Amino acid sequence: MNAYAATHIGKVRKNNEDSIYLSGENEPVLAIVADGMGGHLAGQVASKMAVDIISKELTSYGLAFVTEKLMGRIISRASKELYQTASKDAELYQMGTTVVAGILYKGKMIYANVGDSRIYLLHNGILTRLTHDHSFVQSLVDNHIITEEEAKNHPYKNIITRVVGMEKVQADCAEVHVENGDAILFCSDGLTNHVEETEIAAYMGKDDDPFFIVSELIDLALYRGGKDNISVIMIKNDGGENR
């Protein structure tokens, strides 16, 4: 495995409300991206809490032994803990965060999603979005009320319908086969709001180290406005060691 993770505050926001985690070990590899939301510093608190809780609990079980069901339970417990914390502190009222997490081990990845951060898989030059956005606009697309193209500039595109921080939340969990030569990318919407999926595929397909690819993707999002925090983790299944 060869992997790299980076987060950037962007060009508009005063705080970076994204949090990221990359285990930095050989297989099994754990990656998490969380995009926080809430008033004052609540978003920062929410994303950091979620990443800390989820990474520690998954690791404590042994990453090689984590199942879809277990990952879902841990994310639900993290959500409840955020909810209870926010209920005791007015400054953290209604804080929440998106979460995408994945464990790569022995040719497969178990992954989970809550919110509108995303996971992409590039296999034989073909990009697949593994996650499904939990957003108001995505529900309009799903019900054929608007098109994917119209969704990009919809005035309510930032309304998230499911977040870690709700009293009860269910993560979408699944497993996917990962072959040698495949690449996986985790990101917050600070990237996807500025960079098209065709462009993401082109960068992921480069014969470069993930360090350069992640840096170039973040630079492109910044060049196009950087209106939100930008977080990207890329993992190449090439048999190398993690960065």
Side-chain angles (χ1 to χ4, degrees):
M1 294 287 179
N2 192 5
Y4 185 72
T7 184
H8 194 288
I9 193 171
K11 299 176 75 172
V12 175
R13 301 285 181 133
K14 294 181 179 179
N15 304 304
N16 192 343
E17 296 184 318
D18 287 1
S19 294
I20 60 175
Y21 179 89
L22 180 63
S23 60
E25 303 167 351
N26 294 329
E27 291 189 66
V29 176
L30 170 63
I32 308 173
V33 169
D35 180 357
M37 58 204 73
H40 191 47
L41 299 177
Q44 283 180 288
V45 174
S47 65
K48 186 177 187 306
M49 274 189 66
V51 167
D52 286 348
I53 293 167
I54 294 166
S55 62
K56 287 175 182 176
E57 287 212 27
L58 289 173
T59 302
S60 72
Y61 278 95
L63 296 179
F65 304 104
V66 174
T67 62
E68 294 173 43
K69 188 174 182 180
L70 177 58
M71 183 176 279
R73 286 206 308 267
I74 288 172
I75 291 174
S76 293
R77 287 204 296 267
S79 187
K80 189 172 183 178
E81 188 166 335
L82 264 68
Y83 175 83
Q84 291 173 341
T85 299
S87 68
K88 299 172 185 175
D89 189 336
E91 290 191 348
L92 302 179
Y93 178 66
Q94 289 189 332
M95 73 173 178
T97 182
T98 71
V99 168
V100 283
I103 298 172
L104 285 85
Y105 183 59
K106 289 189 174 180
K108 68 178 182 179
M109 179 174 71
I110 292 172
Y111 64 94
N113 170 54
V114 177
D116 67 347
S117 292
R118 294 177 179 176
I119 305 174
Y120 291 98
L121 171 68
L122 187 74
H123 172 71
N124 289 337
I126 299 173
L127 187 73
T128 301
R129 187 199 304 177
L130 298 178
T131 53
H132 191 76
D133 292 352
H134 301 135
S135 68
F136 174 70
V137 167
Q138 185 61 55
S139 69
L140 296 180
V141 173
D142 293 342
N143 288 290
H144 308 292
I145 296 171
I146 63 173
T147 65
E148 287 278 5
E149 193 62 32
E150 290 171 328
K152 294 176 183 178
N153 298 304
H154 196 282
Y156 298 139
K157 66 179 296 184
N158 293 323
I159 297 178
I160 310 302
T161 55
R162 195 188 306 183
V163 297
V164 172
M166 293 177 169
E167 185 175 13
K168 294 182 180 180
V169 73
Q170 182 175 349
D172 291 342
C173 300
E175 181 180 310
V176 66
H177 180 64
V178 180
E179 296 184 6
N180 287 336
D182 288 353
I184 299 161
L185 186 134
F186 301 71
C187 65
S188 61
D189 66 351
L191 180 75
T192 53
N193 283 341
H194 290 296
V195 183
E196 298 289 338
E197 290 186 349
T198 53
E199 296 173 312
I200 291 173
Y203 277 94
M204 289 178 69
K206 285 186 174 184
D207 187 23
D208 280 340
D209 189 280
F211 169 82
F212 296 108
I213 295 171
V214 169
S215 300
E216 288 170 352
L217 283 168
I218 291 175
D219 285 346
L220 181 57
L222 291 170
Y223 175 76
R224 291 179 177 169
K227 294 180 181 179
D228 202 351
N229 311 138
I230 309 157
S231 294
V232 184
I233 299 175
M234 182 175 170
I235 302 169
K236 278 191 173 183
N237 187 26
D238 62 1
E241 293 184 354
N242 285 16
R243 178 177 294 274

